[in-house]
mmCIF file of all heavy atoms in Angstrom:
data_model
loop_
_atom_site.group_PDB
_atom_site.id
_atom_site.type_symbol
_atom_site.label_atom_id
_atom_site.label_comp_id
_atom_site.label_asym_id
_atom_site.label_seq_id
_atom_site.Cartn_x
_atom_site.Cartn_y
_atom_site.Cartn_z
ATOM 1 N N LEU A 198 16.869 53.761 -41.338
ATOM 2 C CA LEU A 198 17.543 54.567 -42.359
ATOM 3 C C LEU A 198 16.771 54.522 -43.683
ATOM 4 O O LEU A 198 16.628 55.545 -44.374
ATOM 5 C CB LEU A 198 18.966 54.077 -42.567
ATOM 6 C CG LEU A 198 19.800 54.810 -43.625
ATOM 7 C CD1 LEU A 198 19.942 56.294 -43.264
ATOM 8 C CD2 LEU A 198 21.177 54.154 -43.761
ATOM 9 N N ALA A 199 16.265 53.353 -44.038
ATOM 10 C CA ALA A 199 15.501 53.232 -45.281
ATOM 11 C C ALA A 199 14.274 54.136 -45.266
ATOM 12 O O ALA A 199 13.932 54.772 -46.282
ATOM 13 C CB ALA A 199 15.087 51.775 -45.487
ATOM 14 N N GLN A 200 13.631 54.244 -44.100
ATOM 15 C CA GLN A 200 12.465 55.100 -43.992
ATOM 16 C C GLN A 200 12.865 56.576 -43.940
ATOM 17 O O GLN A 200 12.192 57.440 -44.523
ATOM 18 C CB GLN A 200 11.661 54.733 -42.741
ATOM 19 C CG GLN A 200 11.072 53.333 -42.779
ATOM 20 C CD GLN A 200 10.450 52.932 -41.451
ATOM 21 O OE1 GLN A 200 10.647 53.601 -40.426
ATOM 22 N NE2 GLN A 200 9.702 51.829 -41.464
ATOM 23 N N ALA A 201 13.986 56.869 -43.259
ATOM 24 C CA ALA A 201 14.397 58.256 -43.054
ATOM 25 C C ALA A 201 14.813 58.932 -44.352
ATOM 26 O O ALA A 201 14.560 60.132 -44.548
ATOM 27 C CB ALA A 201 15.537 58.323 -42.035
ATOM 28 N N VAL A 202 15.462 58.217 -45.252
ATOM 29 C CA VAL A 202 15.945 58.834 -46.497
ATOM 30 C C VAL A 202 15.201 58.316 -47.719
ATOM 31 O O VAL A 202 15.587 58.613 -48.856
ATOM 32 C CB VAL A 202 17.473 58.610 -46.662
ATOM 33 C CG1 VAL A 202 18.235 59.244 -45.528
ATOM 34 C CG2 VAL A 202 17.803 57.130 -46.776
ATOM 35 N N GLN A 203 14.114 57.534 -47.467
ATOM 36 C CA GLN A 203 13.299 57.016 -48.571
ATOM 37 C C GLN A 203 14.168 56.318 -49.612
ATOM 38 O O GLN A 203 14.236 56.711 -50.772
ATOM 39 C CB GLN A 203 12.503 58.156 -49.215
ATOM 40 C CG GLN A 203 11.478 58.805 -48.296
ATOM 41 C CD GLN A 203 10.414 57.817 -47.831
ATOM 42 O OE1 GLN A 203 9.688 57.262 -48.661
ATOM 43 N NE2 GLN A 203 10.329 57.591 -46.523
ATOM 44 N N ALA A 204 14.863 55.248 -49.166
ATOM 45 C CA ALA A 204 15.819 54.556 -50.030
ATOM 46 C C ALA A 204 15.842 53.074 -49.710
ATOM 47 O O ALA A 204 15.293 52.615 -48.708
ATOM 48 C CB ALA A 204 17.203 55.149 -49.853
ATOM 49 N N SER A 205 16.480 52.333 -50.606
ATOM 50 C CA SER A 205 16.795 50.932 -50.329
ATOM 51 C C SER A 205 18.140 50.897 -49.620
ATOM 52 O O SER A 205 19.090 51.584 -50.031
ATOM 53 C CB SER A 205 16.868 50.124 -51.625
ATOM 54 O OG SER A 205 15.615 50.108 -52.278
ATOM 55 N N VAL A 206 18.239 50.129 -48.575
ATOM 56 C CA VAL A 206 19.459 50.084 -47.771
ATOM 57 C C VAL A 206 19.925 48.641 -47.653
ATOM 58 O O VAL A 206 19.119 47.729 -47.423
ATOM 59 C CB VAL A 206 19.243 50.687 -46.367
ATOM 60 C CG1 VAL A 206 20.539 50.666 -45.573
ATOM 61 C CG2 VAL A 206 18.706 52.107 -46.479
ATOM 62 N N CYS A 207 21.217 48.474 -47.794
ATOM 63 C CA CYS A 207 21.813 47.138 -47.694
ATOM 64 C C CYS A 207 23.014 47.199 -46.757
ATOM 65 O O CYS A 207 23.904 48.037 -46.933
ATOM 66 C CB CYS A 207 22.245 46.674 -49.085
ATOM 67 S SG CYS A 207 23.295 45.189 -49.087
ATOM 68 N N LEU A 208 23.021 46.312 -45.752
ATOM 69 C CA LEU A 208 24.188 46.169 -44.884
ATOM 70 C C LEU A 208 24.755 44.782 -45.121
ATOM 71 O O LEU A 208 24.084 43.778 -44.889
ATOM 72 C CB LEU A 208 23.818 46.340 -43.411
ATOM 73 C CG LEU A 208 24.949 46.092 -42.401
ATOM 74 C CD1 LEU A 208 26.091 47.089 -42.609
ATOM 75 C CD2 LEU A 208 24.432 46.161 -40.957
ATOM 76 N N ARG A 209 25.986 44.733 -45.594
ATOM 77 C CA ARG A 209 26.609 43.451 -45.893
ATOM 78 C C ARG A 209 27.961 43.345 -45.211
ATOM 79 O O ARG A 209 28.630 44.362 -44.951
ATOM 80 C CB ARG A 209 26.777 43.266 -47.398
ATOM 81 C CG ARG A 209 27.409 44.430 -48.105
ATOM 82 C CD ARG A 209 27.549 44.193 -49.594
ATOM 83 N NE ARG A 209 28.748 43.398 -49.882
ATOM 84 C CZ ARG A 209 29.064 42.947 -51.091
ATOM 85 N NH1 ARG A 209 28.250 43.167 -52.112
ATOM 86 N NH2 ARG A 209 30.163 42.274 -51.290
ATOM 87 N N ALA A 210 28.344 42.124 -44.911
ATOM 88 C CA ALA A 210 29.644 41.877 -44.315
ATOM 89 C C ALA A 210 30.718 42.008 -45.381
ATOM 90 O O ALA A 210 30.433 42.073 -46.581
ATOM 91 C CB ALA A 210 29.686 40.488 -43.687
ATOM 92 N N ALA A 211 31.970 42.041 -44.940
ATOM 93 C CA ALA A 211 33.088 42.193 -45.869
ATOM 94 C C ALA A 211 33.138 41.047 -46.875
ATOM 95 O O ALA A 211 33.623 41.220 -47.995
ATOM 96 C CB ALA A 211 34.399 42.282 -45.098
ATOM 97 N N ASP A 212 32.641 39.878 -46.485
ATOM 98 C CA ASP A 212 32.666 38.730 -47.402
ATOM 99 C C ASP A 212 31.438 38.684 -48.318
ATOM 100 O O ASP A 212 31.256 37.731 -49.072
ATOM 101 C CB ASP A 212 32.776 37.420 -46.623
ATOM 102 C CG ASP A 212 31.584 37.185 -45.702
ATOM 103 O OD1 ASP A 212 30.657 38.022 -45.682
ATOM 104 O OD2 ASP A 212 31.577 36.154 -44.998
#
Side-chain angles (χ1 to χ4, degrees):
L198 179 60
Q200 296 172 348
V202 299
Q203 296 299 299
S205 297
V206 182
C207 168
L208 175 62
R209 49 180 278 174
D212 62 1

